[in-house]
Amino acid sequence: MPISAPKPCGHPGCGVLVRDGTSRCPKHPKPAWAKPVKATKRITGRRLQRMRADLFQRDPLCAECRRHGRVTLATQRDHIKPLAEGGADDETNEQGLCDDCHEEKSLAEALRGRRRSAG
């Protein structure tokens, strides 16, 4: 007896009905997430806190808002080129962003990552 109502496989272009409660048919299992081999190691701890403080002292405004003519305080330390895409975790690849701009940028990066892994 099925666990839930049949629904189409979540793989793009596959219309096989799945009856076991998962989102994929046996032919299209969902790939396990794995950190890319080339991903840069993330800085943590006191060194990260010092880098954040230095960034906000050096440049307290949101870089993206400033590009659009707005003045907003930065609250997030952001990597200009994401670590998952080979960016460095140092001051040459950091910018301050407000929460809204950081959220928007993070969503766009996640979408790019999903597209890369699906392709």
Side-chain angles (χ1 to χ4, degrees):
M1 185 157 82
I3 296 172
S4 62
K7 59 184 178 182
C9 173
H11 184 77
C14 181
V16 174
L17 290 179
V18 179
R19 293 177 163 77
D20 64 0
T22 65
S23 62
R24 299 286 186 109
C25 71
K27 187 176 176 184
H28 301 111
K30 195 164 191 161
W33 183 87
K35 183 184 262 189
V37 175
K38 66 178 182 178
T40 306
K41 184 173 180 341
R42 202 174 270 282
I43 294 173
T44 60
R46 290 183 183 187
R47 183 172 172 212
L48 171 63
Q49 297 307 315
R50 189 172 48 251
M51 289 175 78
R52 286 183 86 249
D54 290 347
L55 170 66
F56 295 143
Q57 185 175 28
R58 192 173 60 243
D59 192 6
L61 299 179
C62 172
E64 188 63 26
C65 285
R66 188 173 35 227
R67 280 191 275 279
H68 294 284
R70 300 184 302 258
V71 177
T72 311
L73 280 178
T75 55
Q76 302 283 332
R77 176 181 177 258
D78 178 68
H79 296 99
I80 298 166
K81 181 176 182 181
L83 299 182
E85 295 176 11
D89 196 5
D90 61 23
E91 63 278 346
T92 65
N93 188 38
E94 70 180 5
Q95 64 182 351
L97 294 179
C98 66
D99 289 335
D100 291 339
C101 290
H102 187 262
E103 173 87 11
E104 187 176 325
K105 184 172 182 277
S106 295
L107 289 173
E109 290 168 358
L111 182 59
R112 276 198 318 267
R114 284 197 287 286
R115 285 184 180 148
R116 268 194 314 273
S117 66

